Each structure stands twice: as C-alpha cells, then as structure tokens.
Amino acid sequence: MTNAASTTTASAGGAPVADARALGLAHYAARGVLEHVLARHGMTFRQQIALRAAVNADAPQTPDDLVAQIRASLKSDPADIRTTLDELLAGRLLVTDGTRLRATDAGRELLTAVGAETAPISARIWGGIPAEDLAAAGRVLTTVTERANTELAALTG
C-alpha cells in the first residue's frame, strides 16, 4: 500500500517497511543535520570523516592507509580523499609525522566541539526508540552494508 507522498510500502501493521529509499532518506536527513553543524565549524562531511579516521587510529597512519580506510567508508575516489587530507593539512588539523599523518590538538579539539554540539541533537533523534527496535535495525543495516559492499566489489572488481 502506498500514499501520494511516499512509495514506501507499509507492513500489515501499517508501519513502513524498510527499503533502500527509507534508508536513503534517513541517511540524508541525519547527514543534513551533521553537515549543518560542521558548516558552523568550517568543516565538510568528508573532512570530518577523514579527521575522525586519523584521531581514532591507534598510531599515526600513512596517507595511503588513511585513504584506504576512508574509501572503505565513503566509497569515494582516492584522489578526492587525498584532496581532503591536503585540506586538513593546510588547516593544521593534520600534520606530517615522518611518513605518516596524525591529528593535531586543534583537530582533536574540533572533533570534540562538533561532538558536543551534535550529542543533544542525536539524543533527540535517537531517544525513545526501543532497544529491541535499535537492535533489529542494527542487524538489518549490517546485513545491507555487507551485501552492498559485496555488490560494489563485484561491480568494480
């Protein structure tokens, strides 16, 4: 069953059934919120992903290692990712440490500030969703991600 505003099918209980469109709408709605916050800090979504990868690494990473890690997440062109790393270096959010890149204190502080600003928003978005629903959604999203990665690998193989 569909309505004029959506082509998402409803289940027998009336709730929408998860599908690619619903996933995409949820992703872009949440990303839009994050990008709004990031813009206030002079940062792009891709820069935040790259900086977070550097911050969360156990040790400084080579540029190639960071590119591979970010590409696995964003499915982006390596040249675009290298441009993003160059932007972070120019902004002194990353620095060269020999042949490796590491986040600066300024980079860490920026991610902390973004996290502090997005935390209450995330709490409002995710709050009140039953734990069992979150667990089910997590299982479905993990399966969809694995299958989509398999399909992408076959297409780009």
Side-chain angles (χ1 to χ4, degrees):
M1 134 163 97
T2 63
N3 64 36
S6 170
T7 60
T8 301
T9 306
S11 67
V17 173
D19 61 9
R21 182 176 184 278
L23 173 63
L25 290 173
H27 164 76
Y28 284 112
R31 183 171 168 173
V33 170
L34 176 58
E35 286 180 340
H36 184 81
V37 171
L38 290 170
R40 287 199 293 251
H41 293 273
M43 185 173 227
T44 67
F45 180 76
R46 189 186 316 259
Q47 288 171 341
Q48 183 258 173
I49 296 294
L51 184 57
R52 187 168 306 285
V55 165
N56 290 337
D58 293 333
Q61 302 288 300
T62 67
D64 288 344
D65 290 340
L66 278 174
V67 167
Q69 183 180 352
I70 297 160
R71 187 169 191 217
S73 295
L74 295 181
K75 313 304 186 238
S76 298
D77 182 283
D80 292 339
I81 297 168
R82 288 185 188 285
T83 298
T84 300
L85 294 177
D86 289 343
E87 293 165 356
L88 294 171
L89 285 162
R92 309 261 324 133
L93 301 173
L94 288 179
V95 293
T96 303
D97 186 357
T99 60
R100 299 180 182 276
L101 300 176
R102 67 174 172 78
T104 63
D105 288 342
R108 291 176 190 282
E109 289 168 9
L110 178 56
L111 284 182
T112 298
V114 167
E117 192 171 336
T118 58
I121 299 167
S122 292
R124 289 190 299 273
I125 292 170
W126 291 93
I129 299 174
E132 61 273 8
D133 289 352
L134 293 173
R139 289 188 301 274
V140 169
L141 292 173
T142 297
T143 300
V144 168
T145 299
E146 290 168 353
R147 290 177 181 178
N149 281 337
T150 298
E151 291 297 327
L152 182 59
L155 290 169
T156 60

